[in-house]
Structure formats: structure tokens, C-alpha cells
Amino acid sequence: MTGSGKGGRVLRYMNAEMLESARAARGRIQEAAREQVQGHLAAMRANDRPRAMAYFDGMADPFGKRAEELGRFRASGGRVVGTLCYFAPAEIFAAFGAVPVRFCSGLYEAVHPANDLLGDAGLCPLVKSTLGLKMSGASPVLELCDLVVVPTPCDAKLKLGEILQDTVEVHLMNLPAVKGTEEGRASWMNEIKGLVRRLEGLYGVRLMPRMLRKAIATYQRAQAAWRRFSALRRKGGIWGRDALLVAQVSFHDDIARWTENVNRLCDELEGRPPVAPEAARIMLGGSPVIWPNWKVPLLIEESGGIIIADELCSGSRTMYDPVVVGEWTMEGMLVAVAERYLVPCTCPSFSPNLDREENMLRRMREFGAEGAVFHVLRGCHLNSLDATKANVVLRRERLPMLKVESEYDEGDLEQVRTRIEAFIEMIRARREQSG
Amino acid sequence: MRRRGGIELATRHLAQGAGREAQGTGKGPRRRWKIESIRLVTQVFGLVLGNGMLIGLPLFGTSNVLRHIYFPNASTKFFINAPTYATFYKVQDTVYSAWNSMYIDLLLPLLIFVVLTILLGRAWCAWLCPLGLPQDLLTRLRRRLGIRHLEIAPHHADLIHSLKYLGVFVIVFYTFALGAPGFNLKAMWNALPVPYEQFDPNRAMYVYAQMAVGLAPTSTYVPTMSVLIALLFFGTSFAARRFWCHICPQGAMMAPLNHVALVKLRKDPGKCTHCRICYRVCPMEILKVYEERRGREVTSDKCVHCYHCVDNCPEDGCLSVEFLGKRLLGSRYRCQCDEGGSGV
Ligand code: SF4
Ligand code: SF4
Ligand code: SF4
Ligand code: SF4
Ligand code: SF4
């Protein structure tokens, strides 16, 4: 099916009527998003939380204040690049003066337009939501991206990258599934260099070492702030749902300002008593929980638990690993950035993935977690399979784990609630038993 | 921005995760030296005093005790009275000139070699070797010029490393062939006396420097071979980090003892995220530190104890240096953005 789309683009997979009806849903998606965001924020504000969270609340609406800011930035000649997943290297975009915005979407309403197009109801809702967002044009920020960079970790993202080309300039990055070998790393390094060339062509500038160096330092500060925050989380002075929001504001925020605010939050957390000293300490893992799909975090923390740690690519992992440059030469910096995104990453798309098991165990021990909730988005086979493995490994260490499958709607809310409540009850009982 | 310590010298902060606690509290700037800088100071100090060559402390040479100290690393006797020179030099010198009493004359230097190596392992390499310093300076120069080092793939590194054992074999075999009366190779002595000295790049490197500043008479003999090897040394060590150490026979002698040395590189695999940073900063291209998932002992025979890995590992307490079971250094996360300098 071909036809001409926006900006003279050839439509290969979408047809004009589909886009038409998707665009008609734009208002509904935006409204639903606002409702979802404000509803969750209200629930989160109802409890005791640090004052410094106000900043992150203000940045939480994907179509709100920050979107306006980016609109003005763009209008004055600024560069904005869309990304998906953890793997798109922010330092590289920043070196070109571009603001990277991660478009993994957590909006329920945006799933529907994509469902019609894809004809695969079983596909991961995160990917469908992102596609729906683009089809409907509901996200003002996504509309002003010069380029969307799509790594290919799983089937869903792979096809998303292909289909998105109907509506926007896409750069696919071939992510190796085997990261532990020299060959895997070499191919990823080539992908990074390819991305640099693409951006050089797009913006008509050559990447110079000092540009990259400055960008790396900016993100290193963000990583340092995040590590400080992670360590403080152990004391329980902040709810996990707030911590996750802090991480996800970094998806679109100005990174230096975000860093400043995380440090401000840390200063406040230093002296804060635990928000829920009696709550069951839970580690949340699995498929990315993307704002405002706050179903699982809210359920855990409403049922007598606290998410004391997480291993989500949309949470702790976003900023945890630092870029450590061995040599500040161009090549040395590129290698450091490339490896930072690939080697310590525990995304389920890698095989073998011992790192993930070890990482979960390490986090649980370090944060004194009493149990793990492994969240699986329906349709995410990689995380579903990793859940099975994780269950075996954690059981061996006598750590209980609950696998929770969920969709992007409220339909399964009560069922998920029942399971989480039972799990937390069980942890409490264990705690009493062991005295 | 806040500055966090990456390495702290010996102590309580590192015991049992207290380091992490301290990291979280961020109590203002903490004074911190990069291991690489401390090492540079030690190397220069060692060259001037310990090796006593550059500005020459011939006094040492007259001491009956000190003149018997042969460093396990590639030091060389620059002055007649200089106290230290490489074990190989001493061995070859002895084997030829004193074949009959050689077992006694050899015993002492070899014993000193073994004792010193067991004491500090190959820390002699990264901290005191007069051939280590110029390699590190070349690396600094290369970085300043913005040139990336030549990466040696792990499988190539193994191959290159086997060269140094070939070097040891040739030296030992030649030495004995030269010295043993049965071989009748005395004539060779005139052509190639004490071959180690002939090949040693130290001679060209330091003797010319000494002549230039008037510390050695301009008539001092410098073997041509040494000059050629020194040129090779400069070229390779400029391109690849510590290239000479990959093939150095003196280092090869220490290698088997590195495991039993009292200085040990330790890892807590439970804290490792397998980020591979330790491999990237290791001048000896050692994969073991990154790959180890179970054991605590990660001193490999190639390790020159430079501790770049410990200095750069971002996980608190994951890597550490122990001496006789006592922890001297430990890895500790710090933000590189605070360094401002040229990095590792
Ligand atoms: S789990 Fe991996 S593939 Fe999935 S969104 Fe996260 S980084 Fe991407
Ligand atoms: S949640 Fe799973 S299926 Fe969806 S994009 Fe991530 S890895 Fe792919
Ligand atoms: S291996 Fe390197 S540092 Fe060690 S003795 Fe040889 S040249 Fe010196
Ligand atoms: S640098 Fe540290 S955390 Fe990273 S792989 Fe090496 S030992 Fe592990
Ligand atoms: S393993 Fe560590 S201490 Fe040993 S040579 Fe490599 S970086 Fe230096």
C-alpha cells in the first residue's frame, strides 16, 4: 500500500484512512494521558514524600510544561532526537547539541490506533503505544524530532522501527544479541560510529573530541547524582513510585537541570526517616514500567510493600552505569560510550544473560529486599522467559518472587491486586516466622 | 560538583560496605590522588634514588650491602659503582666470568630475586622499573596528542606474551652455552659478552641522557644493538600501552611468582557488574579481572600491579589490593567529570 503521507513521505504500511482515524483519536489520547498523569500524581501526593519531588511532578506530564519548552527550543533552531530503549547513546546526541527524548510510551489510550494497523493483538503494548502515539500525532515532542533512533533488541522494537519510517526519519541500530564476545562488541562499536556519521550528515557538522567530551561530562554528572540517589533509596526515605518517576523525567528533561534537582532531592533524603519502615521491601524487575503506566508500582505500594530497589531499564538502569573513559581520545571516548550501553546492560534481549541474574541478586542483597516482583508486559516473551529463569535462581537463594503479567488497560487491575496482596502477605508471614 | 574519592588508602571506609555509606552522604570534597599520579611520583623517585642511576649515587655502589641488591625488574647497571642492575645481567656476568664458583655466586642474586618478587610481585614493574617509566611517559604523550592506542586483541596478546618466554629461554641457554667449558664458545664472548647488556634498551636510553647532562663521560660505550632496540622500544611503546612489558624477559621471570607474591589483586565477584572497564584501562590487556565470576583471586601472571583497574572500577569494594591479607586499596565509585585532567 503506497500513498503520500506527511512531508511527502511514502506510506508503505499505513494507509491514509488509518492515519486519518488515528489523528481523530489525538484529542482523546491527550485527554486520557492527562487524566492518567494527574490521577497518579494525586495518589502519590496523598502520602508523605520529599518536597523536592515537586519539580519532578511538574515535569511528569509528557504533553505538559516540558513539551512546551522543547517546542520553543525547537522553534529557535534547537535539535531534538527521539530514541527508544536504553541503548540509544544520549552522550552522542548531546555532543551534537541535540536533546534526546526517549519515546517508550506508557499511555494506555495510544495502544488502539496501532492495534488496528499491526493486526497482532498479542504484541507488547509498550511498542503499540509508541506507534499509536506517532500515528495519532498526539505527542507534540515526537512531532518535532529530526530523527528517531531505534535499537533492535526484540521483535517488537525491530518491527516498530520499520513501520515508523512511514511517518518519521528513522535510524535503526543493530543491537547484537550476544554481547559477551569481541565480535559482538565490535559490531556495536560500528553501530555507534554509524550513528555518528548519520548525525554528522543530518546536522552538517563534524563531531569533534571536545564536543563529545563535554557531553560525556554532563552525563557523568547525571550518573553520579543517580548513584547518590540510588544509595540513599536504601534507607527507604522515598517511595519506589516516586523514585521511578525521577528516573523517567530524565527521558525528556534537560539533563543538567535534572541532575541539579536529583542532587537537591538527595540533600533532602539524607536526613529523612523511612516513609514506611514496616512495609515489605520489594525489588521490582522485568519489563519496563513506563510512566504513566503506574499500575504495578502503585499496587505494590498500596498493598503494604515498598519498592526499595528495581532493575528496570526504565528505572535504576537508566542512569546507573557510568561512562568511564580510559583515554580521552575520540576513539577512546566512543569505545567508552559504546561499552557503557552494551556490556553491563542486563536487558533480556541478550544471551547468555548471567549478568541479569547476578544483578538481581546483588540488588536484592544490597537493598535488603525480601522479595521480587517480576513485571511482564503481555507479549514480552524475552522478559517472560527471563522471569522463569529468575524464579529458579532466586528460589535457590530462598528469595520469593512473583511474576505479574499485565496489559495496558485497567481490565486486569483487580486480578493483579489480589496476587500482589497475597504475595506481600506471604512475605510478612515469613518475616514473622523468622522472628 | 561533588568530588568523591575513588581510592582511599588503607582503612576502615573500605571495610564492609562502609564505603558505600560514605558515598551516599557526600560530605564535601575528599582529597584524592589518582593511582596513576602516585605511581608516577614513585617511579621517578625510584629511578633517582632506588636505581640510583640518573643522577648517580655512586655512594651506594661502594656499600657492601647495597651493591648486592639486584632488582627483579629490568634495571641496569649504568655506572660502574651503581648498586642495582637486573638479575639477568648479574646471572650472565657471573656465569661467564666465574663458571667454577658460579653456584655460589648465582645463589645470592637468584635468592634475592625470588625474595623480592615474592614480597612485591610484579609491583616492581609498574612502580619501580626504569623501563616502565619511559613507557608510561610515552603513553601520556600519545594521549596528549589525541592518538588512540593500538589495541591488542586478547588472543594476540597471548601470542605476544609467549615471546617473552622465548626470550628467557634464549638468554638462559646462551648464557650457559657461553659459560660452560664443554661448549667451547669462549670466542663468542668477544662478539657478544653479557648479551643481556647488549640488548638492553636501558643503556641507550639512559646513558645518552647521562652523557648529555655530563653525568657520564662522552666516551661511554653504548652497544649498537641497544640503540636499535631502544628505537624499537620507543616506537612500539608509543603505539601500544606498555608494549615492552608484553615481551620483556625480565618480566617473564617474575610472572610465575606473581601468583604466590604477598601482594594480591582481589575481586569480590558479588559486586561486579561486568562493565568491562577494568579491561579497557588495563595496559596489559588482562581479561581475567573482568571475566571472573566466582573466585576472589584475580592476579594474573601478566599483571604489573599498576592498579588502573582498581582505580577505575565503578563498584565500591569490588576490586582491592591486599598485602598479606591486609587491604591496602579498594575500588570506589567517583565521577570522572570531577577530574578535569586527561583521564587515565
Ligand atoms: S528491556 Fe531492553 S528491549 Fe525492553 S525496553 Fe528495556 S532496554 Fe529496551
Ligand atoms: S517490553 Fe519486551 S517486547 Fe516490549 S519492547 Fe521491551 S523487550 Fe520488547
Ligand atoms: S615487564 Fe616491563 S616493567 Fe617489568 S621488568 Fe620488564 S620492562 Fe620493566
Ligand atoms: S571494572 Fe569492576 S565492576 Fe566493572 S567488570 Fe571490572 S571488576 Fe567488574
Ligand atoms: S590487572 Fe589491573 S593491576 Fe594488573 S596490569 Fe591490569 S590494570 Fe594493572
Side-chain angles (χ1 to χ4, degrees):
Chain A
M1 180 80 47
T2 55
S4 73
K6 219 169 105 187
R9 203 161 270 291
V10 175
L11 289 180
R12 285 182 180 280
Y13 309 107
M14 303 177 191
N15 57 38
E17 300 92 82
M18 261 176 202
L19 278 180
E20 205 57 43
S21 78
R23 283 194 196 121
R26 182 151 124 201
R28 197 167 64 242
I29 293 173
Q30 289 176 336
E31 204 174 300
R34 215 147 267 159
E35 222 169 84
Q36 223 178 331
V37 167
Q38 295 312 329
H40 291 338
L41 285 180
M44 287 152 73
R45 285 196 194 110
N47 287 73
D48 171 37
R49 65 210 288 262
R51 282 185 317 281
M53 279 307 294
Y55 170 80
F56 300 97
D57 289 357
M59 288 293 150
D61 187 345
F63 309 146
K65 202 157 92 190
R66 180 59 181 159
E68 283 158 26
E69 246 180 42
L70 282 169
R72 282 195 300 276
F73 173 70
R74 178 63 212 236
S76 63
R79 297 164 178 171
V80 182
V81 173
T83 68
L84 289 169
C85 268
Y86 166 90
F87 302 100
E91 287 84 351
I92 306 278
F93 307 116
F96 283 93
V99 175
V101 180
R102 180 165 161 188
F103 282 105
C104 289
S105 166
L107 298 170
Y108 295 173
E109 199 54 39
V111 167
H112 306 303
N115 253 344
D116 299 340
L117 166 64
L118 295 167
D120 181 352
L123 198 77
C124 153
L126 185 159
V127 159
K128 285 191 289 197
S129 178
T130 304
L131 181 58
L133 206 59
K134 182 61 208 168
M135 289 173 73
S136 64
S139 160
V141 185
L142 188 46
E143 293 313 300
L144 46 82
C145 286
D146 302 313
L147 183 73
V148 176
V149 176
V150 188
T152 59
C154 63
D155 293 357
K157 289 260 164 88
L158 184 67
K159 289 292 127 181
L160 174 66
E162 186 179 14
I163 296 167
L164 270 181
Q165 303 195 30
D166 272 10
T167 51
V168 67
E169 212 42 60
V170 169
H171 181 82
L172 285 157
M173 291 183 85
N174 194 5
L175 182 78
V178 182
K179 65 171 182 171
T181 59
E182 289 303 317
E183 292 77 11
R185 275 187 294 267
S187 91
W188 182 241
M189 182 64 186
N190 272 335
E191 285 296 327
I192 298 281
K193 286 184 177 166
L195 176 66
V196 169
R197 280 195 298 275
R198 176 82 189 250
L199 293 169
E200 283 180 340
L202 182 67
Y203 293 128
V205 278
R206 231 178 104 75
L207 181 63
M208 301 306 273
R210 86 194 124 71
M211 294 152 72
L212 186 52
R213 191 180 174 130
K214 212 171 129 229
I216 288 177
T218 306
Y219 275 88
Q220 281 173 333
R221 286 193 190 98
Q223 287 145 7
W226 181 256
R227 279 204 171 216
R228 186 179 166 213
F229 178 67
S230 294
L232 281 167
R233 246 178 104 178
R234 198 170 47 163
K235 294 202 216 159
I238 187 166
W239 291 99
R241 57 196 187 221
D242 288 337
L244 286 172
L245 180 62
V246 172
Q248 295 190 23
V249 165
S250 78
F251 286 5
H252 63 190
D253 203 0
D254 173 78
I255 206 66
R257 187 176 61 192
W258 179 85
T259 306
E260 218 174 276
N261 280 285
V262 172
N263 274 320
R264 200 162 294 151
L265 178 59
C266 289
D267 293 341
E268 194 179 340
L269 283 179
E270 306 268 8
R272 251 179 93 82
V275 283
E278 294 303 316
R281 296 165 77 91
I282 301 291
M283 191 202 66
L284 179 60
S287 296
V289 170
I290 307 273
W291 177 259
N293 172 26
W294 243 220
K295 194 194 297 174
V296 174
L298 284 172
L299 283 178
I300 292 174
E301 300 197 327
E302 280 166 6
S303 313
I306 179 170
I307 301 165
I308 202 73
D310 70 80
E311 64 97 45
L312 303 169
C313 69
S314 58
S316 286
R317 269 160 53 195
T318 312
M319 283 290 169
Y320 181 79
D321 292 303
V323 170
V324 174
V325 181
E327 301 204 338
W328 292 94
T329 55
M330 191 67 191
E331 188 84 4
M333 286 188 276
L334 284 176
V335 169
V337 170
E339 290 193 355
R340 182 266 174 187
Y341 285 91
L342 183 74
V343 188
C345 182
T346 56
C347 170
S349 62
F350 295 119
S351 179
N353 205 1
L354 271 175
D355 291 349
R356 189 175 207 188
E357 298 158 21
E358 288 176 4
N359 183 42
M360 288 181 74
L361 279 175
R362 179 174 55 248
R363 286 191 168 270
M364 290 188 75
R365 289 205 191 100
E366 207 173 278
F367 287 82
E370 297 162 284
V373 171
F374 202 104
H375 164 246
V376 176
L377 284 175
R378 201 171 300 280
C380 176
H381 300 295
L382 294 175
N383 273 301
S384 179
L385 292 168
D386 263 16
T388 313
K389 285 193 308 169
N391 199 14
V392 174
V393 173
L394 294 186
R395 197 145 284 174
R396 205 176 289 144
E397 304 288 323
R398 306 191 155 276
L399 290 163
M401 185 191 113
L402 174 74
K403 174 178 171 183
V404 176
E405 273 194 76
S406 92
E407 252 295 349
Y408 266 21
D409 59 40
E410 301 283 334
D412 53 11
L413 193 72
E414 287 316 312
Q415 183 217 344
V416 173
R417 186 196 299 277
T418 316
R419 298 193 60 213
I420 288 178
E421 277 174 354
F423 182 65
I424 287 173
E425 211 40 60
M426 187 268 288
I427 289 178
R428 285 252 169 91
R430 264 170 66 112
R431 197 193 271 176
E432 267 156 38
Q433 265 172 24
S434 62
Chain B
M1 267 314 286
R2 189 177 316 276
R3 177 185 288 260
R4 309 243 173 73
I7 291 272
E8 275 174 317
L9 289 174
T11 60
R12 56 208 147 77
H13 285 294
L14 292 162
Q16 289 301 312
R20 193 168 283 277
E21 212 67 88
Q23 170 205 325
T25 59
K27 292 266 157 59
R30 187 193 299 277
R31 187 166 170 70
R32 176 177 174 274
W33 275 65
K34 284 191 69 179
I35 280 290
E36 211 183 14
S37 318
I38 305 173
R39 209 158 57 76
L40 185 67
V41 173
T42 316
Q43 283 172 309
V44 173
F45 190 75
L47 188 71
V48 173
L49 267 186
N51 292 297
M53 262 64 74
L54 208 55
I55 60 166
L57 291 174
L59 267 185
F60 277 3
T62 56
S63 152
N64 249 338
V65 184
L66 287 170
R67 63 174 296 119
H68 286 296
I69 296 176
Y70 317 102
F71 281 6
N73 54 26
S75 358
T76 279
K77 182 174 167 180
F78 300 101
F79 287 130
I80 286 303
N81 277 336
T84 56
Y85 37 95
T87 311
F88 266 137
Y89 178 92
K90 176 64 187 164
V91 167
Q92 295 196 319
D93 198 20
T94 310
V95 166
Y96 176 73
S97 55
W99 177 257
N100 294 327
S101 63
M102 126 179 149
Y103 292 103
I104 301 144
D105 269 10
L106 264 189
L107 215 57
L108 187 63
L110 284 180
L111 195 70
I112 290 176
F113 174 83
V114 169
V115 168
L116 290 182
T117 310
I118 286 183
L119 192 68
L120 293 181
R122 287 184 70 178
W124 289 105
C125 288
W127 296 78
L128 286 167
C129 178
L131 278 189
L133 177 64
Q135 292 186 81
D136 291 350
L137 293 177
L138 284 168
T139 295
R140 280 170 185 260
L141 173 70
R142 178 180 50 69
R143 279 188 209 146
R144 191 138 294 185
L145 297 177
I147 304 169
R148 169 82 172 158
H149 67 86
L150 194 78
E151 250 176 278
I152 305 174
H155 56 288
H156 289 149
D158 288 345
L159 204 73
I160 294 171
H161 274 278
S162 51
L163 283 178
K164 67 188 180 189
Y165 293 105
L166 187 69
V168 175
F169 176 77
V170 169
I171 291 176
V172 171
F173 184 79
Y174 182 81
T175 304
F176 277 82
L178 203 68
F183 279 93
N184 253 335
L185 283 178
K186 296 278 172 188
M188 282 298 282
W189 179 251
N190 298 324
L192 217 52
V194 193
Y196 183 75
E197 190 190 36
Q198 305 291 312
F199 290 109
D200 187 357
N202 264 320
R203 296 203 69 79
M205 207 157 23
Y206 290 108
V207 173
Y208 279 124
Q210 286 171 326
M211 283 196 244
V213 293
L215 282 168
T218 42
S219 57
T220 315
Y221 168 63
V222 179
T224 321
M225 205 55 173
S226 164
V227 177
L228 291 178
I229 294 211
L231 290 176
L232 190 76
F233 172 94
F234 285 129
T236 51
S237 304
F238 179 79
R241 300 171 299 185
R242 285 232 170 203
F243 184 83
W244 190 257
C245 298
H246 285 73
I247 54 165
C248 170
Q250 196 66 49
M253 295 266 288
M254 282 185 271
L257 291 172
N258 217 13
H259 296 286
V260 292
L262 304 182
V263 187
K264 290 198 188 324
L265 191 61
R266 293 284 203 167
K267 172 169 176 176
D268 181 345
K271 290 185 173 152
C272 174
T273 60
H274 296 280
C275 65
R276 206 168 175 263
I277 288 167
C278 49
Y279 172 73
R280 209 162 358 98
V281 299
C282 174
M284 300 304 287
E285 324 270 348
I286 292 167
L287 265 174
K288 187 183 171 70
V289 182
Y290 151 66
E291 280 182 337
E292 188 60 59
R293 281 184 196 269
R294 291 169 178 281
R296 287 189 30 76
E297 168 71 55
V298 285
T299 326
S300 87
D301 55 3
K302 296 186 236 174
C303 174
V304 293
H305 291 267
C306 65
Y307 310 139
H308 289 184
C309 52
V310 184
D311 208 8
N312 286 283
C313 171
E315 297 306 315
D316 296 347
C318 179
L319 293 181
S320 57
V321 182
E322 284 181 6
F323 182 76
L324 271 174
K326 195 165 156 37
R327 198 172 180 134
L328 297 181
L329 307 165
S331 55
R332 200 150 130 57
Y333 169 71
R334 81 191 131 87
C335 181
Q336 239 186 355
C337 49
D338 295 332
E339 263 161 29
S342 60
V344 180

